[in-house]
Coordinates of all heavy atoms in Angstrom, one line a residue:
M221 N 128.8 91.8 -55.4 CA 130.1 92.0 -55.9 C 130.0 92.1 -57.4 O 129.2 91.4 -58.0 CB 130.9 90.8 -55.5 CG 132.3 90.9 -56.1 SD 133.3 89.4 -55.4 CE 134.8 89.8 -56.2
I222 N 130.7 93.1 -58.0 CA 130.7 93.3 -59.4 C 131.8 92.5 -60.1 O 133.0 92.6 -59.7 CB 130.9 94.8 -59.7 CG1 129.8 95.5 -59.0 CG2 131.0 95.0 -61.2 CD1 130.0 97.1 -59.1
K223 N 131.4 91.7 -61.1 CA 132.4 90.9 -61.7 C 133.0 91.6 -63.0 O 132.2 92.2 -63.7 CB 131.9 89.5 -62.1 CG 131.5 88.7 -60.9 CD 131.1 87.3 -61.4 CE 130.8 86.4 -60.1 NZ 130.4 85.1 -60.5
G224 N 134.2 91.5 -63.2 CA 134.9 92.1 -64.4 C 135.0 93.6 -64.4 O 135.3 94.2 -65.4
A225 N 135.0 94.2 -63.2 CA 135.1 95.6 -63.2 C 136.6 95.8 -62.6 O 136.9 95.4 -61.5 CB 134.1 96.2 -62.1
Q226 N 137.4 96.5 -63.4 CA 138.7 96.8 -63.0 C 139.0 98.2 -63.3 O 138.8 98.7 -64.4 CB 139.7 96.0 -63.8 CG 141.2 96.1 -63.4 CD 142.1 95.3 -64.2 OE1 141.7 94.7 -65.2 NE2 143.4 95.4 -63.9
K227 N 139.4 99.0 -62.2 CA 139.8 100.4 -62.4 C 141.2 100.6 -62.0 O 141.7 100.0 -60.9 CB 138.8 101.2 -61.5 CG 137.4 101.2 -61.9 CD 137.1 102.3 -62.7 CE 135.6 102.3 -63.0 NZ 135.2 103.4 -63.8
K228 N 141.9 101.4 -62.7 CA 143.2 101.9 -62.2 C 143.1 103.2 -61.4 O 142.3 104.0 -61.8 CB 144.2 102.1 -63.4 CG 144.5 100.9 -64.2 CD 145.3 101.2 -65.4 CE 145.5 99.9 -66.2 NZ 146.3 100.2 -67.4
M229 N 143.8 103.2 -60.3 CA 143.5 104.3 -59.4 C 144.9 104.8 -58.9 O 145.8 104.0 -58.7 CB 142.7 103.8 -58.2 CG 141.9 104.9 -57.6 SD 140.6 104.2 -56.6 CE 141.4 104.0 -55.2
V230 N 145.0 106.2 -58.8 CA 146.2 106.8 -58.2 C 145.7 107.4 -56.9 O 144.7 108.1 -56.8 CB 146.7 107.9 -59.1 CG1 147.9 108.7 -58.5 CG2 147.0 107.4 -60.5
V231 N 146.5 107.1 -55.8 CA 146.2 107.7 -54.5 C 147.3 108.6 -54.1 O 148.5 108.3 -54.2 CB 146.2 106.5 -53.4 CG1 146.0 107.0 -52.1 CG2 145.1 105.4 -53.9
V232 N 146.9 109.8 -53.8 CA 147.8 110.8 -53.4 C 147.7 111.1 -51.9 O 146.6 111.4 -51.4 CB 147.7 112.1 -54.1 CG1 148.6 113.2 -53.7 CG2 147.7 111.8 -55.6
R233 N 148.7 110.8 -51.1 CA 148.6 110.9 -49.7 C 149.5 112.1 -49.3 O 150.5 112.4 -49.8 CB 149.3 109.7 -49.0 CG 148.3 108.4 -49.1 CD 148.8 107.3 -48.3 NE 147.9 106.1 -48.5 CZ 148.1 105.2 -49.4 NH1 149.0 105.3 -50.2 NH2 147.2 104.2 -49.5
T234 N 149.0 112.8 -48.3 CA 149.6 113.9 -47.7 C 149.7 114.1 -46.3 O 148.7 113.6 -45.7 CB 149.2 115.3 -48.4 OG1 149.9 116.4 -47.9 CG2 147.8 115.5 -48.1
R235 N 150.7 114.7 -45.7 CA 150.7 114.9 -44.3 C 150.7 116.3 -44.0 O 150.6 116.9 -42.9 CB 152.0 114.3 -43.7 CG 151.9 112.7 -43.8 CD 153.2 112.3 -43.0 NE 153.1 110.8 -43.2 CZ 154.2 110.0 -43.3 NH1 155.4 110.6 -43.2 NH2 154.1 108.7 -43.3
D236 N 150.9 117.2 -45.0 CA 150.9 118.7 -45.0 C 149.7 119.4 -44.8 O 149.4 120.5 -44.3 CB 151.6 119.2 -46.2 CG 153.0 118.7 -46.4 OD1 153.6 118.2 -45.4 OD2 153.6 118.7 -47.5
S237 N 148.5 118.7 -45.3 CA 147.2 119.4 -45.2 C 146.5 119.1 -43.9 O 146.4 118.1 -43.3 CB 146.3 118.8 -46.3 OG 145.1 119.4 -46.3
R238 N 145.9 120.2 -43.5 CA 145.0 120.1 -42.2 C 143.7 119.5 -42.6 O 143.0 119.0 -41.7 CB 144.9 121.4 -41.5 CG 146.1 122.0 -41.0 CD 145.8 123.4 -40.4 NE 144.6 124.0 -40.9 CZ 144.3 125.3 -41.0 NH1 145.2 126.1 -40.6 NH2 143.1 125.7 -41.4
L239 N 143.2 119.5 -43.9 CA 142.0 119.1 -44.2 C 141.9 117.7 -44.8 O 141.0 116.9 -44.6 CB 141.4 120.1 -45.2 CG 141.2 121.5 -44.7 CD1 140.6 122.4 -45.9 CD2 140.2 121.5 -43.5
F240 N 142.9 117.4 -45.6 CA 142.9 116.1 -46.4 C 144.0 115.2 -46.0 O 145.1 115.6 -45.8 CB 142.8 116.5 -47.9 CG 141.7 117.4 -48.3 CD1 142.0 118.7 -48.7 CD2 140.4 116.8 -48.4 CE1 140.9 119.5 -49.0 CE2 139.4 117.6 -48.8 CZ 139.7 119.0 -49.2
E241 N 143.6 114.0 -46.0 CA 144.6 112.9 -45.8 C 145.0 112.3 -47.1 O 146.2 111.9 -47.3 CB 144.0 111.9 -44.9 CG 145.0 110.7 -44.3 CD 144.3 110.0 -43.3 OE1 143.6 110.5 -42.4 OE2 144.4 108.7 -43.5
E242 N 144.0 112.0 -47.9 CA 144.3 111.3 -49.2 C 143.3 111.9 -50.3 O 142.3 112.4 -50.1 CB 144.0 109.8 -49.1 CG 144.8 109.1 -48.1 CD 144.4 107.6 -48.0 OE1 143.3 107.3 -48.2 OE2 145.3 106.8 -47.6
A243 N 143.9 111.8 -51.5 CA 143.0 112.1 -52.6 C 143.1 110.9 -53.7 O 144.2 110.3 -53.8 CB 143.6 113.4 -53.4
Y244 N 141.9 110.6 -54.2 CA 142.0 109.5 -55.0 C 141.6 109.9 -56.5 O 140.7 110.6 -56.7 CB 140.8 108.4 -54.6 CG 141.1 107.9 -53.3 CD1 140.5 108.5 -52.1 CD2 141.9 106.8 -53.1 CE1 140.8 107.9 -50.9 CE2 142.1 106.2 -51.9 CZ 141.6 106.9 -50.8 OH 141.8 106.3 -49.6
F245 N 142.3 109.5 -57.5 CA 142.1 109.7 -58.9 C 141.9 108.4 -59.6 O 142.8 107.6 -59.6 CB 143.4 110.5 -59.5 CG 143.5 111.9 -58.9 CD1 144.3 112.1 -57.9 CD2 142.9 112.9 -59.5 CE1 144.5 113.4 -57.4 CE2 143.0 114.2 -59.0 CZ 143.8 114.5 -58.0
V246 N 140.8 108.3 -60.2 CA 140.4 107.1 -61.0 C 140.7 107.3 -62.4 O 140.1 108.3 -63.0 CB 139.0 106.7 -60.7 CG1 138.6 105.4 -61.5 CG2 138.7 106.5 -59.2
M247 N 141.5 106.4 -63.0 CA 142.0 106.5 -64.5 C 140.8 106.1 -65.3 O 140.1 105.3 -65.0 CB 143.2 105.7 -64.7 CG 144.3 105.9 -63.8 SD 145.2 107.4 -64.1 CE 145.9 107.1 -65.6
R248 N 140.8 106.9 -66.4 CA 139.8 106.6 -67.4 C 140.1 105.2 -68.1 O 141.3 104.9 -68.2 CB 139.7 107.6 -68.6 CG 139.1 109.0 -68.0 CD 139.1 109.9 -69.2 NE 138.7 111.1 -68.8 CZ 137.4 111.6 -68.9 NH1 136.6 110.9 -69.6 NH2 137.0 112.8 -68.5
R249 N 139.1 104.5 -68.5 CA 139.5 103.2 -69.1 C 140.1 103.3 -70.5 O 140.9 102.5 -70.9 CB 138.1 102.4 -69.4 CG 137.5 101.9 -68.1 CD 136.2 101.1 -68.4 NE 135.5 100.9 -67.2 CZ 135.3 99.7 -66.7 NH1 135.7 98.6 -67.3 NH2 134.7 99.6 -65.6
D250 N 139.8 104.4 -71.2 CA 140.3 104.6 -72.5 C 141.7 105.3 -72.6 O 142.1 105.7 -73.6 CB 139.3 105.3 -73.4 CG 138.9 106.8 -72.9 OD1 139.3 107.0 -71.7 OD2 138.3 107.5 -73.5
T251 N 142.3 105.4 -71.4 CA 143.6 106.0 -71.4 C 144.7 105.2 -71.9 O 144.8 104.0 -71.4 CB 144.0 106.4 -69.9 OG1 143.0 107.3 -69.4 CG2 145.4 107.2 -69.7
P252 N 145.5 105.6 -72.9 CA 146.5 104.7 -73.4 C 147.6 104.5 -72.4 O 147.8 105.3 -71.5 CB 147.0 105.5 -74.6 CG 146.1 106.7 -74.9 CD 145.4 106.8 -73.7
Q253 N 148.1 103.3 -72.4 CA 149.2 103.0 -71.5 C 150.4 103.8 -71.6 O 151.2 104.1 -70.8 CB 149.7 101.5 -71.8 CG 150.5 100.9 -70.7 CD 149.9 100.9 -69.3 OE1 148.7 100.7 -69.3 NE2 150.7 101.0 -68.2
I254 N 150.6 104.4 -72.9 CA 151.8 105.4 -73.1 C 151.7 106.6 -72.2 O 152.6 107.1 -71.8 CB 151.7 105.8 -74.6 CG1 152.0 104.5 -75.5 CG2 152.8 106.8 -74.9 CD1 151.7 104.8 -77.0
L255 N 150.4 107.1 -71.9 CA 150.3 108.2 -71.1 C 150.3 108.0 -69.6 O 150.2 108.9 -68.9 CB 148.9 108.9 -71.5 CG 148.7 109.3 -72.9 CD1 147.3 110.0 -73.1 CD2 149.8 110.4 -73.3
C256 N 150.5 106.7 -69.2 CA 150.5 106.4 -67.8 C 151.9 106.6 -67.2 O 152.2 105.8 -66.3 CB 149.9 105.0 -67.6 SG 148.2 105.0 -68.0
D257 N 152.7 107.4 -67.7 CA 154.0 107.8 -67.0 C 153.7 108.4 -65.6 O 152.8 109.3 -65.5 CB 154.9 108.7 -67.9 CG 156.2 108.9 -67.3 OD1 156.7 108.1 -66.6 OD2 156.8 110.0 -67.7
D258 N 154.4 108.0 -64.6 CA 154.3 108.6 -63.2 C 154.3 110.1 -63.2 O 153.5 110.7 -62.5 CB 155.4 107.9 -62.3 CG 155.0 106.4 -62.0 OD1 153.9 106.1 -62.3 OD2 156.0 105.8 -61.6
G259 N 155.3 110.6 -63.9 CA 155.4 112.1 -63.9 C 154.2 112.9 -64.6 O 153.7 113.8 -64.0
D260 N 153.7 112.2 -65.6 CA 152.5 112.8 -66.4 C 151.3 112.7 -65.4 O 150.5 113.6 -65.3 CB 152.1 112.1 -67.6 CG 153.3 112.3 -68.7 OD1 154.0 113.3 -68.5 OD2 153.4 111.5 -69.6
I261 N 151.2 111.6 -64.6 CA 150.0 111.3 -63.8 C 150.1 112.4 -62.7 O 149.0 113.0 -62.3 CB 149.9 110.0 -63.2 CG1 149.7 108.9 -64.3 CG2 148.9 109.8 -62.1 CD1 149.8 107.5 -64.0
V262 N 151.2 112.5 -62.1 CA 151.4 113.5 -60.9 C 151.0 114.9 -61.4 O 150.4 115.8 -60.8 CB 152.7 113.4 -60.3 CG1 153.0 114.5 -59.3 CG2 152.8 112.0 -59.6
A263 N 151.6 115.2 -62.7 CA 151.4 116.6 -63.2 C 149.9 116.8 -63.5 O 149.4 117.9 -63.2 CB 152.2 116.8 -64.4
E264 N 149.2 115.9 -63.9 CA 147.8 116.1 -64.2 C 147.0 116.2 -62.9 O 146.0 117.0 -62.9 CB 147.2 114.9 -65.0 CG 145.9 114.9 -65.4 CD 145.5 116.0 -66.3 OE1 146.3 116.7 -66.9 OE2 144.2 116.1 -66.6
A265 N 147.3 115.4 -61.9 CA 146.7 115.5 -60.6 C 146.8 116.9 -60.0 O 145.9 117.6 -59.5 CB 147.2 114.4 -59.6
N266 N 148.1 117.3 -60.2 CA 148.4 118.8 -59.6 C 147.6 119.8 -60.3 O 147.1 120.7 -59.7 CB 149.9 119.0 -59.6 CG 150.6 118.3 -58.6 OD1 150.1 118.1 -57.5 ND2 151.8 117.9 -58.9
R267 N 147.5 119.6 -61.6 CA 146.7 120.6 -62.5 C 145.2 120.6 -62.0 O 144.6 121.6 -61.8 CB 146.8 120.2 -63.9 CG 146.1 121.2 -64.9 CD 145.9 120.7 -66.3 NE 145.0 119.6 -66.4 CZ 143.7 119.7 -66.4 NH1 143.1 120.8 -66.3 NH2 142.9 118.6 -66.5
I268 N 144.6 119.4 -61.8 CA 143.3 119.3 -61.4 C 143.1 119.9 -60.1 O 142.1 120.7 -59.8 CB 142.8 117.8 -61.4 CG1 142.8 117.3 -62.8 CG2 141.5 117.7 -60.7 CD1 142.6 115.8 -62.8
I269 N 144.0 119.7 -59.1 CA 143.8 120.2 -57.9 C 144.0 121.8 -57.9 O 143.2 122.5 -57.2 CB 144.9 119.6 -56.9 CG1 144.6 118.2 -56.6 CG2 145.0 120.4 -55.5 CD1 145.8 117.4 -56.0
R270 N 145.0 122.3 -58.7 CA 145.1 123.7 -58.7 C 143.9 124.4 -59.4 O 143.4 125.4 -58.9 CB 146.4 124.0 -59.6 CG 146.8 125.4 -59.6 CD 148.1 125.6 -60.5 NE 149.0 124.5 -60.6 CZ 149.0 123.7 -61.7 NH1 148.3 123.9 -62.7 NH2 149.9 122.7 -61.7
Q271 N 143.4 123.7 -60.3 CA 142.2 124.3 -61.0 C 141.0 124.3 -60.0 O 140.2 125.3 -60.0 CB 141.8 123.5 -62.2 CG 140.6 124.0 -63.1 CD 140.4 123.1 -64.3 OE1 140.9 122.0 -64.4 NE2 139.7 123.6 -65.2
S272 N 140.8 123.3 -59.2 CA 139.8 123.2 -58.3 C 139.9 124.3 -57.3 O 139.0 125.0 -56.8 CB 139.8 121.9 -57.7 OG 138.8 121.8 -56.6
T273 N 141.1 124.5 -56.7 CA 141.3 125.6 -55.7 C 141.2 127.0 -56.2 O 140.6 127.9 -55.5 CB 142.8 125.4 -55.0 OG1 143.7 125.4 -55.9 CG2 142.8 124.1 -54.2
E274 N 141.5 127.2 -57.5 CA 141.3 128.5 -58.1 C 139.8 128.8 -58.2 O 139.4 129.9 -57.9 CB 142.0 128.5 -59.5 CG 143.5 128.7 -59.5 CD 144.1 128.5 -60.8 OE1 143.4 128.4 -61.8 OE2 145.4 128.5 -60.9
H275 N 139.0 127.8 -58.6 CA 137.6 127.9 -58.7 C 137.0 128.2 -57.4 O 136.2 129.1 -57.2 CB 136.9 126.7 -59.2 CG 135.5 126.7 -59.3 ND1 134.8 127.5 -60.2 CD2 134.5 126.0 -58.6 CE1 133.5 127.3 -59.9 NE2 133.3 126.5 -58.9
T276 N 137.4 127.6 -56.3 CA 136.9 127.9 -55.0 C 137.3 129.2 -54.5 O 136.4 130.0 -53.9 CB 137.5 126.8 -53.9 OG1 137.2 125.5 -54.4 CG2 137.0 127.0 -52.5
R277 N 138.6 129.7 -54.7 CA 138.9 131.0 -54.4 C 138.1 132.1 -55.1 O 137.6 133.0 -54.6 CB 140.4 131.2 -54.6 CG 141.3 130.7 -53.6 CD 142.7 131.2 -53.9 NE 143.7 130.1 -53.4 CZ 144.6 129.5 -54.0 NH1 144.8 129.8 -55.3 NH2 145.3 128.6 -53.5
R278 N 137.9 131.8 -56.4 CA 137.1 132.8 -57.2 C 135.7 132.9 -56.8 O 135.2 134.0 -56.6 CB 137.1 132.3 -58.7 CG 136.6 133.3 -59.6 CD 136.6 132.9 -61.2 NE 137.9 132.2 -61.5 CZ 137.9 130.9 -61.9 NH1 136.7 130.3 -62.0 NH2 139.0 130.3 -62.2
R279 N 135.1 131.8 -56.3 CA 133.8 131.9 -55.8 C 133.7 132.6 -54.4 O 132.8 133.4 -54.2 CB 133.3 130.3 -55.6 CG 131.8 130.3 -55.3 CD 131.3 128.9 -55.3 NE 132.1 128.1 -54.6 CZ 132.1 126.8 -54.7 NH1 131.4 126.1 -55.5 NH2 133.0 126.0 -53.9
A280 N 134.7 132.4 -53.6 CA 134.7 133.1 -52.3 C 134.8 134.7 -52.7 O 134.2 135.5 -51.8 CB 135.9 132.7 -51.5
V281 N 135.7 135.0 -53.5 CA 135.8 136.5 -53.8 C 134.4 137.0 -54.4 O 134.0 138.1 -54.1 CB 136.9 136.7 -54.9 CG1 136.9 138.1 -55.4 CG2 138.1 136.4 -54.2
E282 N 133.8 136.2 -55.3 CA 132.4 136.7 -55.8 C 131.4 136.8 -54.7 O 130.7 137.7 -54.6 CB 132.0 135.7 -56.9 CG 132.7 135.8 -58.2 CD 132.4 134.6 -59.1 OE1 131.6 133.7 -58.8 OE2 132.9 134.6 -60.2
N283 N 131.4 135.9 -53.7 CA 130.5 136.0 -52.6 C 130.8 137.3 -51.8 O 129.9 137.9 -51.3 CB 130.6 134.8 -51.7 CG 129.9 133.6 -52.4 OD1 129.2 133.7 -53.3 ND2 130.3 132.4 -51.9
A284 N 132.0 137.6 -51.5 CA 132.4 138.7 -50.7 C 132.0 140.0 -51.5 O 131.6 141.0 -50.9 CB 133.9 138.8 -50.5
C285 N 132.1 140.0 -52.8 CA 131.7 141.2 -53.6 C 130.2 141.4 -53.6 O 129.7 142.5 -53.4 CB 132.2 141.1 -55.1 SG 134.0 141.3 -55.3
E286 N 129.5 140.3 -53.6 CA 128.0 140.4 -53.5 C 127.6 140.9 -52.1 O 126.7 141.7 -52.0 CB 127.3 139.0 -53.7 CG 127.5 138.5 -55.2 CD 126.9 137.1 -55.3 OE1 126.3 136.5 -54.3 OE2 127.1 136.5 -56.4
R287 N 128.3 140.5 -51.1 CA 128.0 141.0 -49.7 C 128.2 142.5 -49.7 O 127.4 143.2 -49.0 CB 128.7 140.2 -48.6 CG 128.2 138.8 -48.3 CD 128.8 138.3 -47.1 NE 130.2 138.1 -47.2 CZ 130.8 137.0 -47.7 NH1 130.1 136.0 -48.0 NH2 132.1 136.9 -47.8
S288 N 129.4 142.9 -50.1 CA 129.7 144.3 -50.0 C 128.7 145.1 -50.9 O 128.3 146.2 -50.5 CB 131.2 144.6 -50.5 OG 131.3 144.2 -51.8
A289 N 128.2 144.6 -52.0 CA 127.3 145.3 -52.8 C 125.9 145.4 -52.2 O 125.3 146.5 -52.1 CB 127.0 144.6 -54.2
K290 N 125.5 144.3 -51.4 CA 124.3 144.5 -50.6 C 124.4 145.5 -49.6 O 123.5 146.3 -49.3 CB 124.0 143.1 -50.0 CG 123.4 142.1 -51.1 CD 123.2 140.8 -50.4 CE 122.7 139.7 -51.5 NZ 122.5 138.4 -50.8
I291 N 125.5 145.5 -48.9 CA 125.8 146.4 -47.8 C 125.8 148.0 -48.3 O 125.1 148.8 -47.7 CB 127.0 146.2 -47.1 CG1 126.9 144.9 -46.2 CG2 127.5 147.3 -46.1 CD1 128.1 144.3 -45.6
S292 N 126.4 148.1 -49.5 CA 126.4 149.4 -50.1 C 125.0 149.8 -50.5 O 124.7 151.0 -50.3 CB 127.3 149.3 -51.3 OG 127.3 150.6 -52.0
R293 N 124.3 149.0 -51.0 CA 122.8 149.3 -51.3 C 122.0 149.7 -50.1 O 121.2 150.6 -50.1 CB 122.1 148.2 -52.1 CG 122.6 148.0 -53.6 CD 121.7 147.2 -54.4 NE 121.7 145.7 -53.9 CZ 122.5 144.9 -54.4 NH1 123.3 145.1 -55.4 NH2 122.4 143.6 -53.9
L294 N 122.2 148.9 -49.1 CA 121.5 149.3 -47.8 C 121.9 150.6 -47.2 O 121.1 151.3 -46.8 CB 121.8 148.1 -46.8 CG 121.1 148.3 -45.3 CD1 119.6 148.2 -45.6 CD2 121.7 147.2 -44.5
I295 N 123.1 150.9 -47.3 CA 123.6 152.1 -46.8 C 123.1 153.3 -47.6 O 122.6 154.4 -47.2 CB 125.2 152.3 -46.8 CG1 125.7 151.3 -45.6 CG2 125.7 153.6 -46.5 CD1 127.2 151.2 -45.6
S296 N 123.0 153.1 -48.9 CA 122.5 154.2 -49.9 C 121.0 154.4 -49.6 O 120.6 155.6 -49.6 CB 122.7 153.7 -51.3 OG 124.0 153.7 -51.6
F297 N 120.3 153.3 -49.3 CA 118.8 153.4 -49.1 C 118.7 154.2 -47.8 O 117.8 155.1 -47.7 CB 118.2 152.0 -49.0 CG 116.8 152.1 -48.5 CD1 115.8 152.4 -49.3 CD2 116.4 151.8 -47.2 CE1 114.6 152.5 -49.0 CE2 115.2 151.8 -46.8 CZ 114.1 152.2 -47.6
A298 N 119.5 153.8 -46.7 CA 119.2 154.4 -45.4 C 119.7 156.0 -45.5 O 119.0 156.8 -44.9 CB 120.1 153.8 -44.4
A299 N 120.6 156.3 -46.3 CA 121.1 157.7 -46.5 C 119.9 158.5 -47.3 O 119.6 159.6 -46.9 CB 122.4 157.9 -47.2
G300 N 119.4 157.9 -48.2 CA 118.3 158.5 -49.0 C 117.0 158.7 -48.1 O 116.4 159.7 -48.2
F301 N 116.9 157.8 -47.3 CA 115.7 157.8 -46.4 C 115.8 158.9 -45.4 O 114.9 159.7 -45.2 CB 115.4 156.4 -45.7 CG 114.2 156.3 -44.9 CD1 113.0 156.2 -45.4 CD2 114.4 156.5 -43.5 CE1 111.8 156.1 -44.6 CE2 113.2 156.3 -42.6 CZ 112.0 156.2 -43.2
L302 N 117.0 159.0 -44.8 CA 117.2 160.1 -43.8 C 117.2 161.4 -44.4 O 116.7 162.3 -43.9 CB 118.6 159.8 -43.1 CG 118.6 158.6 -42.1 CD1 120.1 158.4 -41.6 CD2 117.6 158.8 -41.0
A303 N 117.8 161.5 -45.6 CA 117.8 162.8 -46.4 C 116.4 163.3 -46.7 O 116.0 164.4 -46.5 CB 118.6 162.7 -47.6
G304 N 115.6 162.3 -47.2 CA 114.2 162.7 -47.5 C 113.4 163.0 -46.3 O 112.6 164.0 -46.3
G305 N 113.6 162.3 -45.2 CA 113.0 162.7 -44.0 C 113.4 164.1 -43.4 O 112.6 164.8 -42.9
G306 N 114.7 164.4 -43.6 CA 115.2 165.6 -43.2 C 114.5 166.8 -44.1 O 114.1 167.8 -43.4
I307 N 114.4 166.6 -45.3 CA 113.8 167.6 -46.2 C 112.4 167.7 -45.7 O 111.9 168.9 -45.7 CB 113.9 167.2 -47.6 CG1 115.4 167.2 -48.1 CG2 113.1 168.0 -48.6 CD1 115.7 166.8 -49.4
V308 N 111.6 166.8 -45.5 CA 110.1 166.9 -45.1 C 110.0 167.6 -43.8 O 109.2 168.4 -43.6 CB 109.5 165.4 -45.1 CG1 108.2 165.5 -44.4 CG2 109.4 164.8 -46.5
A309 N 110.9 167.3 -42.9 CA 111.0 167.9 -41.6 C 111.1 169.5 -41.8 O 110.5 170.2 -41.1 CB 111.9 167.3 -40.6
L310 N 112.1 169.8 -42.6 CA 112.4 171.2 -42.8 C 111.2 171.9 -43.4 O 110.8 173.1 -43.0 CB 113.7 171.4 -43.7 CG 115.0 171.2 -43.0 CD1 116.2 171.3 -44.0 CD2 115.2 172.2 -41.9
L311 N 110.6 171.2 -44.4 CA 109.4 171.9 -45.0 C 108.3 172.1 -43.9 O 107.6 173.2 -44.0 CB 108.9 171.0 -46.1 CG 109.8 171.0 -47.4 CD1 109.2 170.0 -48.4 CD2 109.8 172.4 -48.0
F312 N 108.1 171.2 -43.0 CA 107.0 171.3 -41.9 C 107.4 172.5 -41.0 O 106.6 173.3 -40.6 CB 106.9 170.1 -41.1 CG 105.8 169.2 -41.8 CD1 106.2 167.7 -42.2 CD2 104.6 169.4 -42.1 CE1 105.4 167.0 -42.8 CE2 103.7 168.6 -42.7 CZ 104.1 167.2 -43.0
L313 N 108.7 172.7 -40.8 CA 109.2 173.8 -39.9 C 108.9 175.1 -40.5 O 108.7 176.2 -39.9 CB 110.6 173.5 -39.4 CG 110.7 172.3 -38.4 CD1 112.2 172.2 -38.1 CD2 110.1 172.7 -37.1
L314 N 109.3 175.2 -41.8 CA 109.2 176.4 -42.5 C 107.7 176.9 -42.8 O 107.5 178.0 -43.0 CB 110.1 176.4 -43.7 CG 111.6 176.2 -43.5 CD1 112.3 176.1 -44.7 CD2 112.1 177.4 -42.8
L315 N 107.0 176.0 -43.0 CA 105.6 176.3 -43.4 C 104.8 176.4 -42.2 O 104.2 176.7 -41.4 CB 105.0 175.3 -44.3 CG 105.8 175.1 -45.7 CD1 105.1 174.0 -46.6 CD2 105.6 176.4 -46.5

């Protein structure tokens, strides 16, 4: 057991989410009591959650772009390979 450790925590419970039941926010020790208004705490929690979901969406879009770029390169390689093979085949037929 840790003696003398005291943390202030905000628990956000939701029934709307299929993934999450609760979110925990641990307050910094150096937070002035003046800033601990309930509205400010909820606004800050919402900002953190919004920022986190935007980052997750951005990463998903980047992954999708990387996959489409890989597919595009593969298609370009295959088209070049087939075109080169066709040219070589024509040269053998003509000569």
Side-chain angles (χ1 to χ4, degrees):
M221 180 175 181
I222 300 173
K223 293 185 179 183
Q226 179 183 7
K227 298 264 185 176
K228 293 180 183 176
M229 211 162 87
V230 177
V231 179
V232 179
R233 291 184 178 93
T234 181
R235 294 184 184 147
D236 299 339
S237 175
R238 295 183 336 210
L239 300 175
F240 301 105
E241 185 176 318
E242 297 177 337
Y244 298 93
F245 292 92
V246 180
M247 304 289 289
R248 292 182 182 261
R249 289 179 191 245
D250 58 350
T251 303
Q253 192 64 29
I254 298 170
L255 297 178
C256 291
D257 183 25
D258 289 342
D260 293 338
I261 292 172
V262 171
E264 181 67 8
N266 284 329
R267 184 192 67 78
I268 293 168
I269 293 168
R270 191 177 332 102
Q271 185 178 17
S272 174
T273 55
E274 287 172 2
H275 175 71
T276 304
R277 281 189 208 124
R278 190 177 322 118
R279 190 172 48 199
V281 168
E282 289 171 357
N283 288 342
C285 290
E286 288 175 12
R287 280 192 299 270
S288 67
K290 286 179 183 178
I291 291 171
S292 176
R293 286 193 296 267
L294 180 63
I295 290 171
S296 297
F297 174 77
F301 184 76
L302 290 174
I307 291 171
V308 170
L310 282 175
L311 287 175
F312 276 121
L313 288 175
L314 294 175
L315 295 176

